Every structure is written in structure tokens, then in C-alpha cells.
Amino acid sequence: KQEVTQIPAALSVPEGENLVLNCSFTDSAIYNLQWFRQDPGKGLTSLLLIQSSQREQTSGRLNASLDKSSGRSTLYIAASQPGDSATYLCAVIKAAGNKLTFGGGTRVLVKP
Amino acid sequence: NAGVTQTPKFQVLKTGQSMTLQCAQDMNHEYMSWYRQDPGMGLRLIHYSVGAGITDQGEVPNGYNVSRSTTEDFPLRLLSAAPSQTSVYFCASSYNLGDNYGYTFGSGTRLTVV
């Protein structure tokens, strides 16, 4: 059974500092990995999708890497801003059935 | 706007009542699924569908029923609501696996069972 872990569960940084969020998974037979952002009381917003054949994906200040062999993905957010405060979730997509398995999330607070 | 639409946004039910959570997408996605999100448990898959007429159980299917008569709609039915079903429910959809698209989520339905 696929298990996805996100460490740390919570993170607090001063504005301007770079954020590093970790995601690990136990079964490397994944199809894609997707990072989401969730604001309190809101739905999930897709940030980045990394296909299994890719090693990284970038969008603006966000960069996500994927190492299937070690079962890890890292989300980097450069020059953090208070507006980046949210919970960040990673999810792996297994080929069979196209089902998502989520990590528990990392709650980020960026202090002005 | 294109996307996944969930209704209602909030609902309070009494124990034993039944109701249907609605989910519709206008992106012609083949895959649709329902998740529930609970504190400390994360997001867990309830039911999913790989196309019209085809559904299957996820991780926590008990107490829920689904059907998929059209590509666009994937309603979730609570047969006899229980307090343990108090949760936030999310519907999600995606293209065929081979197109390498990720998932799009609805804004959620916050359900309280008293």
C-alpha cells in the first residue's frame, strides 16, 4: 500500500526566506506527482504536476523536484511572502486506476 | 468558468437522513472521484469512476453510494447519515492517464451530521 509522508507538519519562516517542503512515498511505481495548495476552509489548488519521466518542474517562484528511485519530491518556494501562508499537499498518482494518495500536508506560516 | 462545481457548499443533516452531494465538471474529464478530508486523517478516497457507467470503491466507501450516468456528473449519496460522516467532501476530476494531466478539485462541501 502506498504511503505518502510530508515532513515537517508545520513550518514558520520570516518573509523573504526560501521554503523547502518535503514529500516521501513508499512505492516508486508512480505515474505522476502533484503538489497542491490549500487555504483555510478552501479547496485544493494545483501548483505543479511532475510526470514520472521528469525530474523537476518550475512555475514562477515554485520549483518541484522528483526522485522516483529514492521516493522523494521537494517543493521549493523562493523568497517567501505572507501570501504563501497555506497548507501544501503532495499527492502521488499510481498508474492503476489513476487514484491519488495524499500526504498529510505541511502547514506554512510566513511572518511579515 | 471551466472546472469542477460542487453543491451545496454547506449542509447540516440529522442522523439517519439521506442526501446527495452534487459534482459536475465541464472539462470532458474521464476520471472523477470523491475524497473526504478529516483533521489528522488527510484526504481519503471514497469512490471513483474511470468513465460513464463505471464506478469503483476507494479506501473508505462504507455508507456512500455513487453512480455515473454521464461524463459530466458524479453525485455522492449518503444513504443514512451518521456523525462519523461529518467531514469536508471534495470532488475531483482528471483526463485520461495517458494525457499526463493532473487533477482538478472542486471547492468542497462541508457536511455536519448531528
Side-chain angles (χ1 to χ4, degrees):
Chain A
K1 179 186 174 184
Q2 177 75 271
E3 292 184 2
V4 182
T5 304
Q6 291 186 247
I7 295 174
L11 186 60
S12 179
V13 299
E15 182 177 2
E17 193 166 300
N18 295 333
L19 284 164
V20 181
L21 308 178
N22 298 303
C23 172
S24 62
F25 46 94
T26 55
D27 185 352
S28 62
I30 65 169
Y31 196 76
N32 294 331
L33 185 144
Q34 194 165 0
W35 281 94
F36 295 89
R37 168 185 172 138
Q38 186 175 30
D39 294 290
K42 303 294 184 181
L44 280 69
T45 300
S46 179
L47 296 175
L48 290 168
L49 172 72
I50 310 176
Q51 299 169 18
S52 61
S53 59
Q54 298 175 319
R55 294 199 55 92
E56 68 176 342
Q57 193 67 254
T58 298
S59 176
R61 294 184 295 112
L62 276 60
N63 174 277
S65 65
L66 175 64
D67 184 343
K68 277 183 58 179
S69 61
S70 66
R72 293 180 185 175
S73 177
T74 302
L75 178 66
Y76 300 90
I77 303 177
S80 62
Q81 304 168 359
D84 295 328
S85 297
T87 296
Y88 292 83
L89 297 155
C90 72
V92 298
I93 302 171
K94 194 170 174 62
N98 203 25
K99 291 176 281 187
L100 286 167
T101 302
F102 282 88
T106 295
R107 189 171 67 252
V108 171
L109 176 62
V110 180
K111 298 178 180 178
Chain B
N1 291 336
V4 179
T5 303
Q6 289 185 240
T7 56
K9 293 189 183 301
F10 301 94
Q11 183 70 48
V12 178
L13 285 180
K14 293 182 179 179
T15 298
Q17 285 185 318
S18 62
M19 79 159 295
T20 299
L21 279 63
Q22 301 291 345
C23 176
Q25 54 91 8
D26 57 2
M27 297 171 285
N28 204 31
H29 284 174
E30 294 94 344
Y31 292 86
M32 295 186 75
S33 50
W34 279 99
Y35 292 82
R36 61 179 287 174
Q37 185 175 34
D38 302 289
M41 302 294 290
L43 281 129
R44 294 178 293 170
L45 180 64
I46 305 171
H47 285 286
Y48 67 98
S49 169
V50 300
I54 306 170
T55 63
D56 206 346
Q57 295 181 351
E59 184 183 354
V60 287
N62 292 341
Y64 307 96
N65 203 356
V66 292
S67 60
R68 183 111 178 259
S69 57
T70 67
T71 300
E72 294 79 17
D73 299 300
F74 191 44
L76 178 72
R77 298 182 186 85
L78 279 69
L79 307 174
S80 177
S84 61
Q85 294 179 303
T86 293
S87 186
V88 182
Y89 292 85
F90 290 101
C91 179
S93 70
S94 77
Y95 282 112
N96 189 309
L97 196 66
D99 292 333
N100 284 319
Y101 284 89
Y103 272 82
T104 300
F105 276 76
S107 57
T109 294
R110 189 173 295 273
L111 176 69
T112 302
V113 182
V114 298

